[in-house]
Amino acid sequence: MGILLVYDVTDESSFNNIRNWIRNIEQHASDNVNKILVGNKADMDESKRAVPTAKGQALADEYGIKFFETSAKTNLNVEQVFFSIARDIKQRLADTDSKAEPTTIRINPPEPGPGPVTKPACCGS
């Protein structure tokens, strides 16, 4: 129902693989699966960073998905990512349910046929 695309901000090759992963998702996953792009190791020193925040955000914008930078080590934004995808999935499912056809069945009264119309008797009268 939801996919987190996670790359390492200190490893540009992991970031470059995101496009391949998205192609695989488009080929094999449901069309409406929720996706979030996540740059992990945001706690690392800037001198070790290979993928700037702006580059991650630009890729997320290109695909129309949310973007977060996280740190599993310091717990930066980890909870927010999981809550965000859970909210998005819940909203998508609610939207899908509200667009579903109503389940009410309407039964029309029978067409009057030839002959006299009689009213049903009530309570033996």
Side-chain angles (χ1 to χ4, degrees):
M1 298 209 136
I3 297 173
L4 300 178
L5 296 149
V6 183
Y7 67 92
D8 178 346
V9 300
T10 67
D11 180 6
E12 191 164 12
S13 66
S14 71
F15 178 77
N16 292 336
N17 282 327
I18 296 292
R19 289 183 192 280
N20 295 331
W21 297 341
I22 289 178
R23 271 194 297 277
N24 284 328
I25 291 166
E26 288 170 347
Q27 290 174 356
H28 302 290
S30 174
D31 289 339
N32 57 358
V33 67
N34 293 84
K35 297 176 286 293
I36 293 182
L37 180 62
V38 180
N40 192 36
K41 296 189 181 178
D43 60 287
M44 296 298 283
D45 186 76
E46 281 297 315
S47 64
K48 295 180 181 177
R49 183 182 276 268
V51 183
T53 302
K55 195 171 180 180
Q57 183 65 61
L59 185 63
D61 292 345
E62 180 182 330
Y63 287 105
I65 60 178
K66 289 183 180 179
F67 172 69
F68 289 86
E69 283 197 338
T70 64
S71 169
K73 182 178 181 180
T74 66
N75 201 28
L76 172 71
N77 285 336
V78 173
E79 202 170 272
Q80 289 84 342
V81 168
F82 285 101
F83 280 130
S84 179
I85 199 154
R87 271 192 308 272
D88 293 348
I89 291 167
K90 183 178 177 188
Q91 185 62 54
R92 175 174 46 90
L93 294 176
D95 291 348
T96 302
D97 285 348
S98 67
K99 291 177 186 172
E101 299 225 0
T103 56
T104 304
I105 298 173
R106 295 183 185 195
I107 300 174
N108 295 327
E111 297 280 326
V117 177
T118 59
K119 292 186 179 182
C122 176
C123 308
S125 55

